[in-house]
Amino acid sequence: LCSVDTIKFSVLNSTPSTKIYTWNGPNNFKSGAKDTLIMNAPASASGTYFVTATLNNCTSAPDSVSVIVYQTPGKPVITTNSPLCSDSTLLFSASTTFNGTVTWAWNGPNSFNSASQFNTIFNTTPLNAGTYDVVVTATSGNCPSPKASVLVEIKPTPVISDTSKTDPTNCKSSTGSITLKGLIANTSYIVNYRENGTLRTIPIISNASGHVIISVLAAGIYTEISVTLNDFPSNKVGPFTLVDPNPPATPVIASVAPLCSGDTIKLSAS
């Protein structure tokens, strides 16, 4: 038996029913019933149990039975690096206070199973998210522990798949923009970038096409642009150089002939 199992004792040839039965055993076990039991038996319940029958004040010779109760491991403790983003490495393991030799049996999402105490899943995807269960079994007596479970969260990593830019429409104005594409529609992102070397951080909600538009930008160099969703950063894009529109050509002043005082000066340019 395994500890926490129930030990059941019974006596054969129990007629007549007027017999009195006396049980004795380990841990000061005593019972006067013909059939008796020990619930949630500990390993210390191992040993020899004796029973006698008494009828008309005459007591029989004792009969005995040997019982072995193997220790059952306690519920294991699971550790994991969840939550994490997709394309990361999932690490999870379990420990037990049981001192004997044990085996491990894991089950989880995406048909996962393992007989190892320590486990690694590389290049995770949302398919690896879910509940992982483990049971530790003592090789002595083949006694399994209660099942332990852990919920693993794997959140999609934002990926900027394409970009575009719009230069300012007026000189010395903040009318330029940079568009980040391939993101989740109508979702709030934290956008990080450097403007001429200075770090900027702003929240932006993507549009219905999954585009994040960084607007109100002046001419300059924009680098290390990324977005963050649920504390997980995307890939970085850039640099982008935004430039003001070309200014008009330098005007040419028409020549002015020498004049006398009192004349009218006429200026024109082309």
Side-chain angles (χ1 to χ4, degrees), residues 203-222:
I204 300 178
I205 298 176
S206 60
N207 61 23
S209 299
H211 297 172
V212 167
I213 301 174
I214 311 171
S215 57
V216 196
L217 300 180
I221 300 175
Y222 296 83

Side-chain angles (χ1 to χ4, degrees), residues 234-251:
S234 72
N235 54 313
K236 292 183 178 181
V237 295
F240 299 90
T241 300
L242 301 188
V243 296
D244 284 336
N246 293 326
T250 303

Side-chain angles (χ1 to χ4, degrees), residues 71 73 96-104 136-140:
Q71 182 63 49
T96 179
T97 58
F98 186 77
N99 291 323
T101 304
V102 297
T103 60
W104 302 87
V136 56
T137 300
T139 54
S140 296

Side-chain angles (χ1 to χ4, degrees), residues 82-210:
S82 170
L84 68 164
C85 56
S86 56
D87 300 320
S88 299
T89 299
L90 172 62
L91 304 173
F92 56 102
S93 62
S95 60
T96 179
T97 58
F98 186 77
N99 291 323
T101 304
V102 297
T103 60
W104 302 87
W106 290 88
N107 290 283
N110 207 26
S111 301
F112 175 83
N113 59 76
S114 170
S116 175
Q117 181 180 2
F118 303 93
N119 296 276
T120 302
I121 298 178
F122 298 100
N123 302 317
T124 54
T125 73
L127 292 176
N128 301 120
T131 300
Y132 288 77
D133 302 319
V134 63
V135 172
V136 56
T137 300
T139 54
S140 296
N142 196 35
C143 296
S145 72
K147 179 178 68 176
S149 302
V150 66
L151 178 63
V152 169
E153 295 182 77
I154 300 177
K155 300 179 180 179
T157 303
V159 176
I160 302 172
S161 61
D162 197 8
T163 59
S164 63
K165 69 163 189 169
T166 300
D167 290 318
T169 56
N170 296 296
C171 292
K172 298 181 181 180
S173 70
S174 298
T175 53
S177 66
I178 296 173
T179 299
L180 311 177
K181 303 176 182 180
L183 302 170
I184 302 173
N186 305 313
T187 301
S188 180
Y189 290 89
I190 300 298
V191 181
N192 299 281
Y193 63 93
R194 290 188 180 275
E195 179 183 10
N196 299 320
T198 301
L199 181 62
R200 310 287 190 196
T201 300
I202 56 173
I204 300 178
I205 298 176
S206 60
N207 61 23
S209 299

